[in-house]
Amino acid sequence: MTTSATSDRLAALDVMVDRQEIHDALTRFSRGMDRFDRDIFLSAFHDDATIAAGNFVGGPIDLYEWARATHELGQVSTHHNLLNHTCDIDGDTAHTETYYLFVGRNHDDTNWIAGGRYIDRVERRDGQWRIALRTNVIEWSGIVPTMGIPFADVPDIHVNGARRAAQQTRRTNDH
């Protein structure tokens, strides 16, 4: 491989690593919110970030407190799913658009579903990609009919696929 081709390949690899680190930051936001894990949530944002989400406009700490209270008031569980993702990187700044699908299991056993886009400016500071500016564009939402959770009556369904459960099963079967 020529020096030029190697250089081009390494530059492309750098972009791929940056894109993955940016996507990881966006995922930390979703995971932190769904798990009510403040530290994971806040690790997605720079401390001075500005976020516009519905009637909320403010910083990451205030967003977490507002969103947590809102979700606790309405839902027993939430899933923020990230879908189509575009990312344009220019040095230490990236502009992203990420489609999302939100689903919440409400306290009254209904399900709230919403879709939209996160439009973000993500910046690399001190080697860390984090959200600096976010606009949450909610494009649709509604309540969907409730149905029973499939396999909810199966004992220990919550450990299905967990490594610990598989190891325990093997030990039990070996004896």
Side-chain angles (χ1 to χ4, degrees), residues 18 21-26 28 39-49 60 92-94 96 120-134:
D18 287 342
E21 290 176 358
I22 290 164
H23 196 266
D24 289 348
L26 303 179
R28 288 193 307 270
D39 292 337
I40 292 173
F41 179 92
L42 293 176
S43 75
F45 297 95
H46 287 294
D47 292 341
D48 62 347
D92 289 334
T93 302
T96 70
D120 298 316
R121 186 179 75 231
V122 185
E123 295 176 357
R124 179 174 35 207
R125 301 181 194 165
D126 299 322
Q128 298 289 312
W129 285 104
R130 294 183 181 200
I131 301 165
L133 178 64
R134 164 165 281 185

Side-chain angles (χ1 to χ4, degrees), residues 87-160:
C87 180
D88 297 315
I89 301 170
D90 183 13
D92 289 334
T93 302
H95 296 278
T96 70
E97 180 181 62
T98 309
Y99 288 56
Y100 70 83
L101 177 65
F102 164 81
V103 181
R105 180 75 168 200
N106 298 323
H107 288 292
D108 66 1
D109 285 333
T110 61
N111 298 296
W112 177 30
I113 187 169
R117 294 173 288 136
Y118 297 126
I119 301 171
D120 298 316
R121 186 179 75 231
V122 185
E123 295 176 357
R124 179 174 35 207
R125 301 181 194 165
D126 299 322
Q128 298 289 312
W129 285 104
R130 294 183 181 200
I131 301 165
L133 178 64
R134 164 165 281 185
T135 300
N136 177 0
V137 179
I138 303 169
E139 296 179 320
W140 57 270
S141 73
I143 301 294
V144 296
T146 301
M147 61 179 275
I149 298 173
F151 307 110
D153 58 344
V154 174
D156 294 329
I157 190 67
H158 64 283
V159 297
N160 186 32

